[in-house]
Amino acid sequence: MTFLTPNSLANILETAVSTHSSLLGRATHAQILKTLQCTIPPFLSIHLISMYSKLDLPNSAQLLLQLTPTRCVVTWTALISGSVQNGYFSSALLYFSKMRCENIKPNDFTFPCAFKASTALCLPFAGKQIHAIALKLGQINDKFVGCSAFDMYSKTGLKSEAQRLFDEMPPRNVAVWNAYISNAVLDGRSGKAIDKFIEFRRVGGEPDLITFCAFLNACADARCLDLGRQLHGLMIRSGFEGDVSVANGIIDFYGKCKEVELAEMVFNGMGRRNSVSWCTMVAACEQNDEKEKACVVFLMGRKEGIELTDYMVSSVISAYAGISGLEFGRSVHALAVKACVEGDIFVSSALVDMYGKCGSIEDCEQVFHEMPERNLVSWNAMISGYAHQGDVDMAMTLFEEMQSEAVPNYVTLICVLSACSRGGAVKLGNEIFESMRDRYRIEPGAEHYACIADMLGRAGMVERAYEFVQKMPIRPTISVWGALLNACRVYKEPELGKIAADKLFKLDPKDSGNHVLLSNMFAAAGRWDEATLVRKEMKEVGIKKGAGCSWVTAKNKVHVFQAKDTSHERNSEIQAMLVKLRTEMQAAGYMPDTNFALYDLEEEEKMTEVGYHSEKIALAFGLLALPPGVPIRITKNLRICGDCHSAFKFISGIVGREIIVRDNNRFHRFRDSQCSCRDFW
């Protein structure tokens, strides 16, 4: 019978560790006992303890250690290292202490494990003790021990000790510099990380992959585009650009610096991509309002068989939320369930946000209540969903419930005040706003002031809203003046509206929407000369009005319509449906509001003008294409006009269908001849 040699058995134990096979490891241990009986060589004991530790079998490892008569530093280090590797940090420190009780000196492999354990447990006191031992034994000058000590001080908040240790180190290797730069980035000290990288280069340091990735993160956080571009050039010269980790970092950097085209160029030039590459590209597009491109990249990745991750799913769901792609968002939700990532708190929060922004409040509530745990983002997303619907009662109920689990932040108060604004709760909104500093320790910002101005304007208190804006302790922003301008439009206050518009022209002179809104306000008041003058001024300064369009999703296809559109393949049916709806509406008491015909035309021509707005055409198509009982969801890139708003109220009652319109301002949910916005469109 052939017996394996001790060296062969040691090799098999290493194979068991590399293949994560505890069965092979135990079988080898049995063979060792059978072959060598009671005389196990010390080096095999070390291999066995290391194998059991690394395969997450701590009890077996500890028992074997106790049965080993001659324990040495390598034996203890094997146990300590395995414990750290599997997250048993307290056990690792306990074993380190027991080893010291046996007067066994730690070596340059033991100390880094002990420092890592104290770091993970955030025990700087224990870390200091280990540092003292390393100093006493003359091990602190070892590059790995010193680097681990520095990392421990940095991550446990002892910045001055970390800096002193760094300054006292002998010639530093790249790992120490990497630790300094990486920890500076993690602490939000991007400027310090950049300065240290420059110092590293000046002393002749050669960056490695970790250095490049850490420095890219620093440039991205500090939005240092020029510096990052220089680093990109250095990577190309150094031959590192082909590395997938470095390329992923470059994509992330350009995405955070709002250079999506450059990020896309790097992405397309990659010879090999991994799931992180696709996730990073999707996130870069989504974060820069390239929502449709983010969705396209996601679909491309799916075709290439990229595995779904929680980060990719949350990013693409946010993209679909931005374009109001409810059905596509639902399909990604299904993929998330299939991939078992829907329980991830970031994915769930993104789903709550997506359903809320797409107007599907029932789905929003279901996801929220099924979440295994919630964070502040989840609560804010749900409150925001109610705010979009103008449901102030549910928003406030949830706000009160939330405070038993989480502390409201700046965003929470924006969501709550927005709900008060859209729900017409003026008194409640004012009370919350006045209590922000004392009760919630939050200093009101521009967004909170905009909510109050909007709330007062929606309630018809236009003059009071203007007085509020004038008394603001901070400079009114675009959103503040925009809220006032909208209130002036609704309540027909063209003179005050002109003041708000003039402020907006100075703050954002290229935005066509404010000019169009002022022109429309003058047109609705019959002041055609002034309306024409505003349009003329737009042309003179080169401002072009974006084409108004509305779109509906049916059978996984997006159908886009413009005013007076006759290009659709079902145009004849659409026109017939428009005629039918107009007849039934008039029978129900509807009269076209020709104030929203934005040109000085004859009355009959004005009625025709408002009758073929893009949202009406989209609605007619939706009634034809979508099955009875299914809500019709229309998205519009501009604000819905008053006549269409009135018409949709009539139509929702006539056809018995729910109509949900998301314009560039808010949601409108039409049911039973009523709208959720309470006619403040």
Side-chain angles (χ1 to χ4, degrees):
M1 183 175 180
T2 303
F3 291 96
L4 294 170
T5 65
N7 286 335
S8 299
L9 291 168
N11 290 334
I12 295 173
L13 288 173
E14 289 180 359
T15 302
V17 172
S18 63
T19 58
H20 303 284
S21 175
S22 59
L23 183 63
L24 176 60
R26 288 184 182 278
T28 307
H29 189 184
Q31 183 65 32
I32 290 171
L33 293 173
K34 181 179 179 181
T35 304
L36 303 176
Q37 296 182 355
C38 295
T39 310
I40 301 177
F43 84 96
L44 270 183
S45 294
I46 293 169
H47 275 287
L48 284 167
I49 292 171
S50 177
M51 181 270 294
Y52 281 124
S53 295
K54 290 179 178 177
L55 293 181
D56 200 9
L57 296 167
N59 293 334
S60 298
Q62 188 176 3
L63 179 61
L64 192 58
L65 179 77
Q66 291 172 351
L67 296 174
T68 303
T70 55
R71 295 187 282 268
C72 64
V73 64
V74 181
T75 314
W76 281 103
T77 301
L79 185 61
I80 295 168
S81 173
S83 299
V84 170
Q85 182 177 315
N86 288 289
Y88 302 117
F89 303 114
S90 297
S91 297
L93 291 180
L94 180 63
Y95 296 144
F96 182 85
S97 178
K98 287 182 177 180
M99 181 187 73
R100 293 294 297 140
C101 289
E102 293 187 6
N103 291 319
I104 296 173
K105 295 179 180 180
N107 63 14
D108 54 344
F109 291 97
T110 319
F111 280 114
C113 296
F115 279 126
K116 187 173 182 179
S118 58
T119 301
L121 295 170
C122 199
L123 294 174
F125 181 73
K128 281 185 174 183
Q129 291 180 315
I130 296 166
H131 182 191
I133 297 169
L135 194 63
K136 182 179 179 181
L137 297 177
Q139 292 278 1
I140 197 63
N141 289 334
D142 179 86
K143 58 185 180 182
F144 296 109
V145 175
C147 183
S148 300
F150 171 80
D151 192 61
M152 179 274 297
Y153 281 125
S154 297
K155 286 187 167 63
T156 54
L158 301 178
K159 307 303 179 191
S160 59
E161 286 85 347
Q163 183 65 53
R164 186 163 57 251
L165 180 61
F166 182 85
D167 294 337
E168 293 173 353
M169 280 183 183
R172 310 173 188 104
N173 67 345
V174 67
V176 177
W177 289 97
N178 288 345
Y180 196 112
I181 296 169
S182 299
N183 279 296
V185 173
L186 289 173
D187 291 340
R189 297 179 295 137
S190 302
K192 193 69 174 177
I194 291 169
D195 292 342
K196 235 24 169 184
F197 177 83
I198 295 171
E199 182 184 338
F200 171 57
R201 292 291 290 156
R202 282 175 178 165
V203 298
E206 288 296 328
D208 61 9
L209 291 176
I210 297 173
T211 322
F212 281 128
C213 292
F215 186 66
L216 273 172
N217 286 333
C219 292
D221 292 346
R223 303 295 189 268
C224 293
L225 179 60
D226 292 338
L227 198 59
R229 278 177 169 166
Q230 292 177 45
L231 183 68
H232 189 182
L234 176 61
M235 290 175 181
I236 295 172
R237 292 196 302 274
S238 304
F240 281 103
E241 190 189 28
D243 182 88
V244 66
S245 299
V246 171
N248 292 343
I250 296 171
I251 294 169
D252 179 64
F253 160 71
Y254 282 129
K256 288 179 178 175
C257 290
K258 303 189 179 300
E259 294 287 346
V260 182
E261 291 183 1
L262 292 176
E264 195 172 9
M265 179 189 71
V266 175
F267 179 78
N268 292 334
M270 292 177 70
R272 181 177 68 87
R273 304 181 186 121
N274 58 16
S275 60
V276 177
S277 312
W278 290 94
C279 288
T280 308
M281 191 64 230
V282 170
C285 294
E286 191 278 325
Q287 291 164 1
N288 288 279
D289 292 326
E290 297 277 358
K291 311 292 186 183
E292 293 181 5
K293 187 176 287 186
C295 300
V296 170
V297 172
F298 171 75
L299 294 174
M300 287 169 56
R302 291 295 295 160
K303 286 180 181 178
E304 291 200 12
I306 294 299
E307 181 182 355
L308 282 178
T309 64
D310 50 359
Y311 184 65
M312 175 177 275
V313 170
S314 59
S315 295
V316 78
I317 287 173
S318 296
Y320 280 126
I323 60 174
S324 193
L326 177 63
E327 298 307 321
F328 296 109
R330 278 180 172 153
S331 67
V332 177
H333 187 178
L335 290 173
V337 172
K338 188 176 180 181
C340 299
V341 297
E342 86 284 0
D344 177 84
I345 193 166
F346 299 106
V347 172
S348 298
S349 298
L351 285 168
V352 173
D353 181 62
M354 184 271 293
Y355 283 125
K357 287 181 177 175
C358 290
S360 183
I361 198 67
E362 293 81 8
D363 291 322
C364 184
E365 291 173 326
Q366 182 175 348
V367 173
F368 179 79
H369 291 303
E370 290 178 356
M371 290 180 71
E373 61 173 323
R374 305 182 185 114
N375 60 9
L376 193 54
V377 176
S378 319
W379 289 98
N380 289 348
M382 190 67 243
I383 295 172
S384 179
Y386 287 129
H388 281 304
Q389 300 288 327
D391 193 340
V392 66
D393 294 332
M394 285 303 299
M396 290 308 303
T397 299
L398 195 68
F399 179 56
E400 293 299 325
E401 182 184 341
M402 166 199 165
Q403 293 179 62
S404 64
E405 294 188 23
V407 178
N409 67 356
Y410 189 94
V411 176
T412 312
L413 271 298
I414 294 174
C415 298
V416 170
L417 291 175
S418 178
C420 292
S421 172
R422 290 170 176 170
V426 177
K427 183 180 178 182
L428 179 61
N430 278 324
E431 289 175 356
I432 293 172
F433 180 77
E434 293 297 331
S435 67
M436 281 180 62
R437 292 184 183 89
D438 295 335
R439 184 174 179 182
Y440 303 108
R441 301 292 186 270
I442 297 172
E443 185 67 26
E447 296 88 350
H448 303 107
Y449 284 102
C451 287
I452 298 300
D454 187 56
M455 179 183 71
L456 295 172
R458 286 175 186 271
M461 306 175 187
V462 183
E463 290 289 344
R464 185 176 165 187
Y466 180 53
E467 291 173 6
F468 174 81
V469 172
Q470 287 182 305
K471 293 177 181 178
M472 281 176 57
I474 61 175
R475 184 183 178 187
T477 60
I478 291 172
S479 56
V480 173
W481 288 116
L484 183 61
L485 178 60
N486 187 45
C488 293
R489 174 190 60 80
V490 172
Y491 291 103
K492 297 180 175 57
E493 295 280 356
E495 293 304 322
L496 195 53
K498 188 176 180 180
I499 295 172
D502 287 339
K503 297 289 186 180
L504 286 167
F505 296 163
K506 292 176 182 177
L507 291 171
D508 192 5
K510 296 297 182 182
D511 186 358
S512 64
N514 299 322
H515 292 79
V516 172
L517 200 58
L518 181 62
S519 175
N520 293 352
M521 194 187 310
F522 285 139
R527 295 161 63 167
W528 297 105
D529 291 341
E530 291 169 282
T532 304
L533 181 60
V534 174
R535 299 268 178 169
K536 183 180 178 182
E537 288 174 349
M538 284 177 63
K539 291 181 180 179
E540 288 175 352
V541 296
I543 300 174
K544 294 183 179 180
K545 174 184 175 295
C549 59
S550 304
W551 56 93
V552 176
T553 302
K555 297 181 179 178
N556 293 325
K557 183 179 178 182
V558 179
H559 300 261
V560 184
F561 302 92
Q562 292 186 358
K564 303 180 184 179
D565 202 331
T566 59
S567 61
H568 197 275
E569 58 186 12
R570 299 184 67 175
N571 179 60
S572 58
E573 297 174 80
I574 291 171
Q575 297 303 320
M577 176 60 74
L578 286 171
V579 172
K580 178 175 179 295
L581 290 174
R582 194 177 302 116
T583 302
E584 292 178 352
M585 283 193 296
Q586 288 175 346
Y590 162 78
M591 285 294 294
D593 190 342
T594 56
N595 286 326
F596 296 95
L598 304 178
Y599 299 96
D600 192 6
L601 306 170
E602 295 298 327
E603 194 65 23
E604 188 175 338
E605 292 177 298
K606 288 183 180 181
M607 293 176 67
T608 303
E609 180 78 20
V610 298
Y612 292 95
H613 283 179
S614 65
E615 51 265 56
K616 287 193 179 79
I617 299 173
L619 174 58
F621 170 77
L623 289 168
L624 292 167
L626 297 173
V630 174
I632 299 171
R633 300 178 185 276
I634 300 169
T635 307
K636 184 175 173 61
N637 67 332
L638 302 177
R639 194 186 302 267
I640 186 173
C641 95
D643 178 71
C644 291
H645 189 273
S646 175
F648 280 21
K649 287 169 63 178
F650 277 96
I651 294 170
S652 67
I654 291 169
V655 301
R657 296 278 285 271
E658 184 177 10
I659 305 165
I660 300 169
V661 179
R662 177 182 176 178
D663 65 10
N664 69 344
N665 182 50
R666 62 164 298 153
F667 273 102
H668 300 269
R669 193 169 187 170
F670 299 92
R671 282 189 296 190
D672 302 323
S673 302
Q674 298 294 324
C675 179
S676 61
C677 76
R678 294 177 173 83
D679 294 345
F680 193 93
W681 45 270

